[in-house]
Amino acid sequence: MAKQYQTPVEGLVIRQAEEKDCGLILELIHGIAKYEKMEDQVVATEESLRESIFVRRRADVLLAEYEGKTAGYALYFRNFSTFVGRENLYLEDIFVWPEFRGKGIGKALLICVAKIAVEEGCSRMDWVCLDWNTPSQKFYQAMGAEPHPEWLLFRAENENLKKLGNMQ
């Protein structure tokens, strides 16, 4: 039985995803990709999710179920701060289907991931938000999070990652 977390939202259950949920996780990934106008970038498959999340244990997923229906999810993983000398949590995705927004589900998911970070002794929890996504930015700031003004996200992917990995 998957671990469940208490929430203050009537009718909401948040639970750890199980291997049998890979199709559901992929559906939610497509949902956030559509919202972020990045549908063409999704290459994940049920098998790649099963391997990465449940076999290799590279990430964890929380599923939010509202009145018995899947309402959203949060996907997070651990990273490490050399300055602090401890692991932290990185929130890769948090998403609630449009028909379930405004019910406190996103807030409950964010709080749940933060509680996990605190329970695990993490010094911080990080995530990024698209610069045009002002509703999410306002939501995060209302929850007490602040944008980091001094750090820029850099990424090497696809061919550039291969080039970088092959440099001498």
Side-chain angles (χ1 to χ4, degrees), residues 67-110:
E67 297 180 347
K69 296 178 183 166
T70 302
Y73 82 121
L75 186 145
Y76 59 95
F77 56 89
R78 284 119 190 110
N79 60 12
F80 192 84
S81 170
T82 55
F83 288 8
V84 179
R86 290 199 328 231
E87 69 179 20
N88 302 294
L89 284 188
Y90 185 86
L91 179 61
E92 177 68 17
D93 286 345
I94 185 168
F95 176 72
V96 175
W97 290 114
E99 61 268 29
F100 294 102
R101 293 182 188 153
K103 299 180 184 308
I105 297 169
K107 181 178 180 179
L109 278 166
L110 188 63

Side-chain angles (χ1 to χ4, degrees), residues 6-148:
Q6 295 292 327
T7 74
V9 179
E10 184 72 30
L12 177 64
V13 172
I14 294 178
R15 66 172 177 87
Q16 284 286 338
E18 300 175 283
E19 190 170 337
K20 66 180 181 177
D21 296 314
C22 287
L24 188 56
I25 295 167
L26 185 58
E27 185 180 331
L28 289 155
I29 289 169
H30 280 282
I32 193 171
K34 183 176 181 179
Y35 176 76
E36 293 180 342
K37 302 173 181 80
M38 300 173 128
E39 289 175 279
D40 61 323
Q41 295 183 32
V42 177
V43 296
T45 64
E46 287 184 43
E47 182 55 32
S48 69
L49 294 173
R50 187 191 69 72
E51 176 70 21
S52 294
I53 298 169
F54 300 102
V55 175
R56 296 178 65 209
R57 305 289 308 149
R58 299 295 192 224
D60 287 293
V61 177
L62 297 177
L63 293 174
E65 297 169 341
Y66 183 75
E67 297 180 347
K69 296 178 183 166
T70 302
Y73 82 121
L75 186 145
Y76 59 95
F77 56 89
R78 284 119 190 110
N79 60 12
F80 192 84
S81 170
T82 55
F83 288 8
V84 179
R86 290 199 328 231
E87 69 179 20
N88 302 294
L89 284 188
Y90 185 86
L91 179 61
E92 177 68 17
D93 286 345
I94 185 168
F95 176 72
V96 175
W97 290 114
E99 61 268 29
F100 294 102
R101 293 182 188 153
K103 299 180 184 308
I105 297 169
K107 181 178 180 179
L109 278 166
L110 188 63
I111 290 169
C112 193
V113 176
K115 283 182 181 178
I116 292 168
V118 170
E119 289 170 2
E120 293 185 3
C122 296
S123 61
R124 70 177 185 241
M125 183 171 89
D126 296 318
W127 64 95
V128 296
C129 183
L130 291 167
D131 61 357
W132 58 260
N133 191 348
T134 53
S136 291
Q137 291 173 34
K138 289 177 183 177
F139 167 72
Y140 297 140
Q141 289 172 331
M143 297 291 293
E146 299 174 0
H148 200 294

